[in-house]
Amino acid sequence: MFKIKVNKEIVIFYVLLFIIIVEIFFLLPIPIKSTININKKISDVKKNIIAIEKDWPLKDVYNEKISQLTEQISNLNTKYISVQQISSLLSFISSESKKFNVEIQQINPKNLQKKEVSKAGTFSYIPIDITLVANFHNLKAFLEYLQNSSYFFEITAIDITSEPPLHKINLTICGLVKE
């Protein structure tokens, strides 16, 4: 029989080399990857802590702004016209015109138009044709008042005929109706 002569040093060298290669390519990347992930998480936590330290003294200001915005939203939600309020809307326009020396000769609401669906609900426009007599300053003041009133209004058409000292105005305004 043959006797194989094995050099123990070379065998040990190759076994150790194999173990080192296995560790480098298979076992070492796992802890390195987890270390990288942990470092990313630490970095994110540090950024959050810095942001909190910066924003914490302003929390009262933020709470005040939140309450102001909440109040503004509730005020805006009351500016919509419901279908049942259309007659009171016409009455509002007519009565408020007298405060500005604007004489309404005719007010004619049309059918609801253009349904729009949004997260806030379903909305339509109600066009209102108005014929009135006024001077420019009173007309301007009246239209500004309507724009800033408790309803949403948009002026979509205006036609002015000069009849000094007053002017005859045909205009179309649209109110926003929430259905």
Side-chain angles (χ1 to χ4, degrees):
M1 283 230 139
F2 285 117
K3 230 177 180 188
I4 299 178
K5 194 171 186 184
V6 177
N7 189 345
K8 290 181 182 178
E9 294 174 352
I10 292 178
V11 170
I12 292 174
F13 173 77
Y14 282 118
V15 168
L16 286 175
L17 183 65
F18 176 76
I19 292 173
I20 290 173
I21 289 174
V22 167
E23 282 188 11
I24 289 175
F25 289 108
F26 297 107
L27 300 177
L28 192 61
I30 294 171
I32 290 175
K33 189 174 184 180
S34 71
T35 304
I36 291 171
N37 288 338
I38 289 172
N39 283 336
K40 284 181 185 178
K41 288 178 183 178
I42 290 172
S43 174
D44 291 342
V45 168
K46 282 182 182 178
K47 287 178 187 175
N48 288 341
I49 290 172
I50 290 170
I52 289 170
E53 287 174 345
K54 182 179 175 183
D55 290 340
W56 186 257
L58 300 174
K59 76 176 174 91
D60 294 332
V61 174
Y62 293 149
N63 288 334
E64 178 65 28
K65 285 189 180 191
I66 288 171
S67 66
Q68 288 174 354
L69 290 173
T70 304
E71 183 179 329
Q72 286 178 354
I73 289 170
S74 70
N75 289 341
L76 289 175
N77 282 333
T78 62
K79 290 185 112 180
Y80 301 126
I81 305 162
S82 68
V83 177
Q84 296 81 12
Q85 291 177 314
I86 292 175
S87 62
S88 63
L89 171 68
L90 299 175
S91 175
F92 168 77
I93 293 170
S94 179
S95 66
E96 296 300 313
S97 69
K98 293 176 181 126
K99 294 179 183 176
F100 295 92
N101 293 327
V102 173
E103 179 190 339
I104 294 182
Q105 294 179 334
Q106 184 179 2
I107 187 165
N108 182 23
K110 294 186 176 182
N111 293 330
L112 293 177
Q113 296 180 354
K114 222 188 213 183
K115 284 195 176 189
E116 298 286 334
V117 178
S118 71
K119 290 180 182 178
T122 303
F123 297 94
S124 299
Y125 295 102
I126 180 158
I128 304 167
D129 289 334
I130 303 173
T131 303
L132 51 92
V133 176
N135 67 30
F136 282 118
H137 298 290
N138 292 347
L139 174 65
K140 176 194 169 287
F142 177 61
L143 293 178
E144 276 183 352
Y145 178 77
L146 286 180
Q147 288 283 325
N148 296 322
S149 71
S150 59
Y151 298 105
F152 280 122
F153 286 111
E154 179 182 14
I155 300 169
T156 56
I158 188 165
D159 181 36
I160 301 174
T161 306
S162 182
E163 295 177 6
L166 299 176
H167 306 285
K168 185 174 182 179
I169 299 110
N170 293 315
L171 62 98
T172 302
I173 62 173
C174 288
L176 189 61
V177 179
K178 185 174 184 178
E179 297 178 23

